[in-house]
Amino acid sequence: VLKLYIHELSQRLSDIDELQIPLLNGFPVSHLLWADDLVLLALDAESLQKLLDCLHEYAERWELSVNIGKTNVTVFNSSSRILKCSYGFKLGNMDISPVRRYCYLGIIFSLNGSFKSAIDELRKKSSPILLLYQK
């Protein structure tokens, strides 16, 4: 049943017109979706808010809940600071908090786009396993 909900949501997000979204190998990518984990991708604030509005309307229509505690905004930038444009996003009437780091499917994304934190975390998690194989 979840697969049916998720597929329709993915279609609706993909069908929104006039979004400024990243391209991956020439294909527009407005979101990443794995099971019930969703990341919305946009190149400007208006596009991100349109995606959030679509998600909110869809969740309301099907009486689904979005865990606002796990819902955050990350605006990638070279300064590694939370920028003013990171504030003001809403899911319905709920404010979405900006964060410096965001974890998606076990990979940590940092504001500056570096994967150093992700690599360090994976290294830390894998160290005990590697020790077992060295014995």
Side-chain angles (χ1 to χ4, degrees), residues 12-127:
R12 287 177 178 260
L13 292 168
S14 296
D15 290 344
I16 299 172
D17 291 328
E18 300 180 28
L19 290 179
Q20 297 297 314
I21 55 176
L23 298 177
L24 180 62
N25 289 333
F27 293 97
V29 180
S30 63
H31 61 284
L32 303 174
L33 182 59
W34 179 257
D36 63 346
D37 288 326
L38 173 67
V39 171
L40 302 175
L41 303 168
L43 298 176
D44 66 9
E46 184 180 337
S47 296
L48 181 55
Q49 190 58 60
K50 283 182 183 180
L51 291 165
L52 288 165
D53 293 344
C54 178
L55 171 61
H56 176 71
E57 290 165 12
Y58 189 81
E60 288 279 302
R61 178 175 161 222
W62 291 105
E63 298 181 7
L64 301 172
S65 62
V66 175
N67 184 342
I68 199 70
K70 290 184 176 183
T71 304
N72 300 105
V73 171
T74 300
V75 176
F76 296 104
N77 65 85
S78 59
S79 72
S80 295
R81 286 187 256 160
I82 295 177
L83 304 176
K84 288 181 186 176
C85 64
S86 303
Y87 294 91
F89 292 101
K90 293 191 171 289
L91 185 67
N93 62 357
M94 296 179 287
D95 292 327
I96 300 175
S97 301
V99 292
R100 293 184 188 285
R101 295 168 29 140
Y102 189 78
C103 186
Y104 179 65
L105 301 180
I107 303 296
I108 298 170
F109 293 85
S110 300
L111 282 177
N112 65 0
S114 168
F115 284 97
K116 184 181 179 330
S117 296
I119 292 167
D120 291 346
E121 191 65 29
L122 289 171
R123 199 175 273 139
K124 189 169 37 173
K125 288 179 181 178
S126 66
S127 292

